[in-house]
Amino acid sequence: MTLNWVFYVTAAAFGAVIGSFLNVVIHRGPVFWRLVDDDSRGNLVAPRSYCPSCRARIRNVHLIPLASYVMLGGKCADCSAPIPIRYPLVELGGALAAITALALFGLSLSAAGAFVFFTCILALGVIDWETGYLPDALTLPLLALGIIANAFDLFNAALGGAVLGVVIGYGAFRLVDMVFLRLRGIEGLGQGDAKLLAAIGAWFGWPILPPVVFLAAILALIGVGVAALRGLKIGKETPVPFGPALAAAGALAMIANGLNLPYFS
Ligand SMILES: [Zn+2]
């Protein structure tokens, strides 16, 4: 089926709207799930969106994803406090997720699945970046959806391979953790990292695990290198946000799956 530009524009607009909801999940989810203590943020459905700086309600016309940020020049309409760049970036991420899913899989259930995967992984990566947590409320449903997707044969991973992906992904990271704890008395990887890797295994099967971990390690090292160049002191105790790197590697795995790259064909 050839998809003309109308499909892509519609997908991008839909993706940006979902991205704008993801911003709410990213901002309020960690409080709602009791990972972060900040009651002022509200829950996932109420109150209506407001400026965290001056508490003014955001007008309907300013709830349009991306366009509002540009129209407002990146500032709150009421108090002129800068709107964090994360908001338009996540909205853009939602749009790109929809376009990429459509380009890779056409109008299909696989595309819908890929879009859900991309948006979950985007929310997880940003939440870990901001709070250091990968909430179970997102990793565990993502894991379950991966198994369901493969039960319907959406991503060419054998169901047995997907289940093994969960077991090996979780087990491998927990093992690394136990060794770290023994040797150095600190947790090297969080439990959230193990669950996210298990979820990625659920979507693509166990053979994807080594390349994903390798890629994530490289991305994390690049991240640490950039932070060092920007003047951050890196010590033994410096926490490395491995979750965002793992999330990025997972997104690349989905793209590789859609392109039928090795490991998938
Ligand atoms: Zn304001």
Side-chain angles (χ1 to χ4, degrees):
M1 190 191 315
T2 45
L3 293 165
N4 60 32
W5 61 272
V6 177
F7 283 101
Y8 281 101
V9 171
T10 311
F14 173 73
V17 169
I18 299 296
S20 136
F21 173 67
L22 287 183
N23 273 315
V24 177
V25 174
I26 290 164
H27 185 65
R28 299 183 186 177
V31 181
F32 186 63
W33 299 314
R34 297 176 190 285
L35 299 170
V36 171
D37 211 13
D38 180 1
D39 284 337
S40 68
R41 290 191 192 179
N43 64 37
L44 293 181
V45 285
R48 291 223 6 209
S49 296
Y50 57 87
C51 166
S53 181
C54 70
R55 312 245 134 213
R57 249 195 191 190
I58 297 176
R59 299 172 184 79
N60 283 336
V61 66
H62 292 150
L63 286 171
I64 306 163
L66 287 168
S68 301
Y69 185 83
V70 176
M71 269 167 13
L72 292 169
K75 290 189 192 119
C76 169
D78 290 281
C79 71
S80 296
I83 302 169
I85 188 75
R86 186 253 284 162
Y87 285 84
L89 285 183
V90 168
E91 288 162 0
L92 187 63
L96 286 177
I99 292 172
T100 309
L102 192 59
L104 289 173
F105 297 101
L107 265 187
S108 64
L109 260 184
S110 299
F115 178 67
V116 170
F117 178 84
F118 282 138
T119 51
C120 277
I121 216 122
L122 174 62
L124 279 164
V126 178
I127 289 174
D128 192 27
W129 181 264
E130 292 187 347
T131 68
Y133 290 107
L134 291 166
D136 286 353
L138 290 176
T139 50
L140 299 183
L142 185 65
L143 190 160
L145 284 174
I147 296 290
I148 293 168
N150 285 314
F152 289 95
D153 205 19
L154 294 185
F155 298 102
N156 297 324
L159 192 53
V163 173
L164 264 183
V166 173
V167 175
I168 297 175
Y170 186 76
F173 268 22
R174 294 303 291 151
L175 196 68
V176 170
D177 248 1
M178 279 161 56
V179 172
F180 247 85
L181 210 56
R182 268 286 162 81
L183 294 179
R184 297 177 48 187
I186 53 167
E187 277 212 336
L189 297 155
Q191 296 221 25
D193 293 313
K195 287 171 196 162
L196 178 54
L197 186 64
I200 293 171
W203 281 75
F204 306 113
W206 68 268
I208 197 63
L209 296 175
V212 159
V213 172
F214 181 69
L215 199 59
I218 289 178
L219 290 172
L221 278 178
I222 292 173
V224 169
V226 170
L229 283 178
R230 291 171 70 185
L232 187 79
K233 281 221 171 71
I234 309 288
K236 225 170 78 169
E237 307 286 313
T238 310
V240 177
F242 195 64
L246 201 52
L252 290 173
M254 178 56 89
I255 292 170
N257 181 290
L259 295 173
N260 275 313
L261 294 187
Y263 279 100
F264 296 104
S265 38

